[in-house]
Amino acid sequence: MRIHSAVAVVSLATAVSASIVPAAGAADRAPAAPTTFSHVLVNGGKDIVLGLTTRKTVTLTWTVTDPEGVVATWAFLWHGPNTDDADGHLPQYPPAGTCTVSPTDPTTSTCTMSFEVNAARDLRHNSLAGTWNVLTDAQDATDDWTDVDVAATAKIKRNAKVTVNASPEPVKKGRTITVTGKLTRANWETRTYTGYRGQSVKLQFRKKGSTTYTTVKTVTTGSGGTLKTTVKATKDGYYRYVFAGTGTTGPSTAAGDFVDVR
């Protein structure tokens, strides 16, 4: 699937028509040097993590080089087995990038393009979470077009939430503390947060007066994303669960729950 602005599509059609009848002497001309793309970066290199109704502005930057000079260039995200069978693309109608020509190299331009991702509108299937590809495209001054289907990749992930509750509070020193919680993530199909089962979550503790959490143990989520474990009460402090995230789901950290040990 190729997506261009209306002006770009007209230019492309003109270029294709012109190529049907070679210009005189075309066979004697040396082949044009290729357009190249580099430094392609999505969202500053950070994962795009979206909840049920998240609206986020994403910036895509890239560098394009062509010996003939670049007239216009585009970039967009796509998801699927290939561009012809893509099941998602962002943005829907990509604008041309805004480019700045290098002051030391007129054949090279640094380009940027920003667009909004609206989870409620753009992400209706959980299968869209994971790796997306970046397609880059450019038209040079001689009307040659170059595109690269996978110039880079980016991660779009489902937002996660984790909770914690440590009890009883207060508790006598040496007694058992039960720490429960739940890990859920955005379900883009049901438009609710649902339990995330079978995931490793760290239980961490920070003693009163300290700013540092240390990992006590790792707990695996059960049915419905439930978390439950026990620890011995030794000192006043805060317990929290920390989920590192997966290839399709973002990380989450619960706010610490204080336990008074007497």
Side-chain angles (χ1 to χ4, degrees), residues 80-139:
N82 54 65
T83 54
D84 291 328
D85 299 311
D87 55 11
H89 55 270
L90 295 168
Q92 185 75 24
Y93 303 103
T98 300
C99 300
T100 301
V101 178
S102 169
T104 59
D105 181 4
T107 69
T108 299
S109 296
T110 300
C111 306
T112 184
M113 184 266 288
S114 295
F115 59 95
E116 182 191 73
V117 181
N118 183 335
R121 177 194 64 200
D122 301 322
L123 300 168
R124 296 186 176 275
H125 300 285
N126 294 328
S127 60
L128 292 174
T131 301
W132 285 59
N133 302 296
V134 182
L135 183 147
T136 51
D137 195 359
Q139 176 191 17

Side-chain angles (χ1 to χ4, degrees), residues 41-228:
L41 194 63
V42 180
N43 198 40
K46 298 178 181 179
D47 294 342
I48 303 168
V49 182
L50 305 170
L52 303 178
T53 58
T54 308
R55 298 167 70 105
K56 182 177 180 62
T57 298
V58 175
T59 299
L60 207 164
T61 58
W62 67 100
T63 298
V64 56
T65 300
D66 189 289
E68 307 295 337
V70 174
V71 174
T73 181
W74 293 261
F76 63 89
L77 302 179
W78 64 274
H79 181 273
N82 54 65
T83 54
D84 291 328
D85 299 311
D87 55 11
H89 55 270
L90 295 168
Q92 185 75 24
Y93 303 103
T98 300
C99 300
T100 301
V101 178
S102 169
T104 59
D105 181 4
T107 69
T108 299
S109 296
T110 300
C111 306
T112 184
M113 184 266 288
S114 295
F115 59 95
E116 182 191 73
V117 181
N118 183 335
R121 177 194 64 200
D122 301 322
L123 300 168
R124 296 186 176 275
H125 300 285
N126 294 328
S127 60
L128 292 174
T131 301
W132 285 59
N133 302 296
V134 182
L135 183 147
T136 51
D137 195 359
Q139 176 191 17
D140 73 10
T142 64
D143 210 20
D144 283 331
W145 290 73
T146 301
D147 59 66
V148 176
D149 286 352
V150 185
T153 60
K155 291 283 190 179
I156 296 182
K157 297 184 177 183
R158 297 157 65 178
N159 187 54
K161 296 180 180 180
V162 64
T163 61
V164 65
N165 181 58
S167 63
E169 304 172 58
V171 63
K172 290 184 178 181
K173 187 174 182 178
R175 293 290 181 87
T176 297
I177 298 173
T178 300
V179 187
T180 59
K182 189 173 185 179
L183 175 64
T184 59
R185 60 175 174 167
N187 187 318
W188 294 332
E189 296 171 5
T190 63
R191 314 315 297 180
T192 58
Y193 274 82
T194 53
Y196 199 6
R197 183 176 185 173
Q199 301 304 306
S200 294
V201 179
K202 292 180 179 179
L203 174 65
Q204 296 185 335
F205 176 75
R206 173 172 68 87
K207 67 180 180 179
K208 183 179 178 180
S210 172
T211 59
T212 304
Y213 276 92
T214 58
T215 299
V216 177
K217 62 174 68 175
T218 299
V219 184
T220 301
T221 57
S223 177
T226 56
L227 288 158
K228 185 176 182 180

